[in-house]
Amino acid sequence: PGHFWLLSFSYITVQLGMTNLILAVIVDAASQVRHQDMQEKARQKRRQEEEARQRLLKIVQSIDEDNNGSISLEELLTSYDTNLNFQNMMTTLNIEKKDIERMFVLMDTDKSGSLSYHEFIESIIKAEEQDVRIQLMMMKLELAEVSWLLRANLGLVSPEPSEQPSSKETRTKKQASSPSVPAATT
């Protein structure tokens, strides 16, 4: 009777060990497949991005009427009316013809008055890929910069960013410059 329990315990222990070994092999195989799947998805994404860049390059080249390697605002506006591929791309991005001039100014980071193919393509790809939260954050930062530039140009702050007073200093100056109003007595 004592051997029965010993053999049963040994049998169960070996059985659990074998089950654990089989489970470890299955988990390891699944992990390898998952890793390979992630690599394949990354390759597919890079391939799709490259294909999208090539399609955009063809559209941009068709917009460039004078074939000088850059796009002017006039070419963009004309292409919006005449180039169906460009029109579809702008519709996909929810950009109307009235927005193109503002978009052009924002895309023209070097302020040359024209967009290189690279500037245009990178801006369009960013617009397609960016998350709304990131766009909102960027807008908030740009508005803060515009606000600071306006204050600097109006003489409300010093023009050097390193010389900007802290918010505490600004509050202290405002409190010191505002006339104190005596409390009403009854």
Side-chain angles (χ1 to χ4, degrees):
H3 295 289
F4 172 75
W5 292 110
L6 181 64
L7 285 175
S8 295
F9 179 73
S10 298
Y11 179 74
I12 291 172
T13 303
V14 169
Q15 196 65 16
L16 286 175
M18 291 298 286
T19 304
N20 194 22
L21 181 63
I22 292 170
L23 183 61
V25 169
I26 291 171
V27 168
D28 187 48
S31 175
Q32 288 176 356
V33 168
R34 179 176 171 264
H35 182 68
Q36 290 171 350
D37 187 45
M38 287 174 48
Q39 288 179 333
E40 180 60 30
K41 284 182 181 181
R43 279 192 294 274
Q44 284 177 350
K45 184 174 184 202
R46 283 191 299 270
R47 189 173 50 248
Q48 288 173 346
E49 286 175 355
E50 187 56 36
E51 289 171 0
R53 286 181 195 277
Q54 292 303 318
R55 283 192 307 272
L56 280 172
L57 181 60
K58 287 179 183 178
I59 292 172
V60 169
Q61 288 171 335
S62 70
I63 292 171
D64 187 14
E65 294 171 357
D66 55 5
N67 295 321
N68 65 353
S70 62
I71 303 167
S72 67
L73 177 59
E74 294 77 26
E75 289 172 330
L76 279 177
L77 292 171
T78 302
S79 293
Y80 192 88
D81 293 331
T82 60
N83 188 325
L84 186 60
N85 289 332
F86 181 66
Q87 210 173 51
N88 290 338
M89 180 177 62
M90 293 292 110
T91 302
T92 302
L93 295 172
N94 292 324
I95 297 173
E96 298 175 5
K97 186 174 182 178
K98 63 182 180 178
D99 301 324
I100 288 181
E101 185 173 352
R102 180 71 181 139
M103 178 189 75
F104 181 85
V105 170
L106 293 173
M107 285 181 168
D108 188 15
T109 56
D110 61 2
K111 306 302 179 209
S112 64
S114 63
L115 297 172
S116 69
Y117 292 173
H118 178 75
E119 282 177 309
F120 186 79
I121 290 172
E122 290 305 312
S123 295
I124 293 297
I125 288 174
K126 279 184 184 178
E128 288 178 334
E129 291 179 347
Q130 279 190 341
D131 186 6
V132 173
R133 294 172 296 203
I134 293 172
Q135 290 177 349
L136 288 173
M137 179 192 69
M138 293 301 291
M139 286 175 57
K140 180 180 176 185
L141 293 172
E142 287 175 6
L143 284 173
E145 181 182 10
V146 167
S147 172
W148 181 83
L149 287 172
L150 283 172
R151 287 183 286 145
N153 286 330
L154 295 174
L156 299 176
V157 294
S158 63
E160 291 298 318
S162 60
E163 298 174 15
Q164 291 184 39
S166 68
S167 59
K168 185 176 182 181
E169 291 172 359
T170 305
R171 275 183 267 144
T172 305
K173 286 181 183 178
K174 283 182 182 177
Q175 289 173 351
S177 66
S178 64
S180 58
V181 179
T185 57
T186 54

